[in-house]
């Protein structure tokens, strides 16, 4: 079984948040309403990409 240290988990969470924010800004620009609107879709995309990358 694969075990992750607390530091690795923290780094993965930070990377997940940073990628989500960056892709949301790239998709919606600096429009706050568009940013919030596309955030759930970007979260799903980044989550799937992160999981597939780690496999």
């Amino acid at each position: 079984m694969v075990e992750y240290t607390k530091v690795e988990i923290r780094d993965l969470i930070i990377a997940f948040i940073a990628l989500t924010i960056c892709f949301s800004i790239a998709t919606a620009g600096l429009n706050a309403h568009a940013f919030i609107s596309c955030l759930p879709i970007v979260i799903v995309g980044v989550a799937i990409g992160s999981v597939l990358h780690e496999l």
Side-chain angles (χ1 to χ4, degrees), residues 1 7 11 16 18 25 33-36 41 44 50 52 55:
M1 176 130 198
V7 174
D11 290 346
F16 178 78
I25 291 172
H33 180 68
F35 177 83
I36 298 298
I41 297 167
V44 170
S50 297
L52 291 176
L55 291 177

Side-chain angles (χ1 to χ4, degrees), residues 18-55:
L19 282 171
T20 300
I21 291 171
C22 290
F23 284 135
S24 293
I25 291 172
T27 302
L30 296 177
N31 183 351
H33 180 68
F35 177 83
I36 298 298
S37 296
C38 75
L39 199 58
I41 297 167
V42 173
I43 288 173
V44 170
V46 170
I48 291 171
S50 297
V51 168
L52 291 176
H53 173 74
E54 290 298 321
L55 291 177

Side-chain angles (χ1 to χ4, degrees), residues 3-24:
E3 293 184 23
Y4 294 101
T5 65
K6 289 182 180 182
V7 174
E8 290 174 322
I9 292 172
R10 183 201 65 195
D11 290 346
L12 286 171
I13 291 170
I14 291 170
F16 178 78
I17 292 169
L19 282 171
T20 300
I21 291 171
C22 290
F23 284 135
S24 293

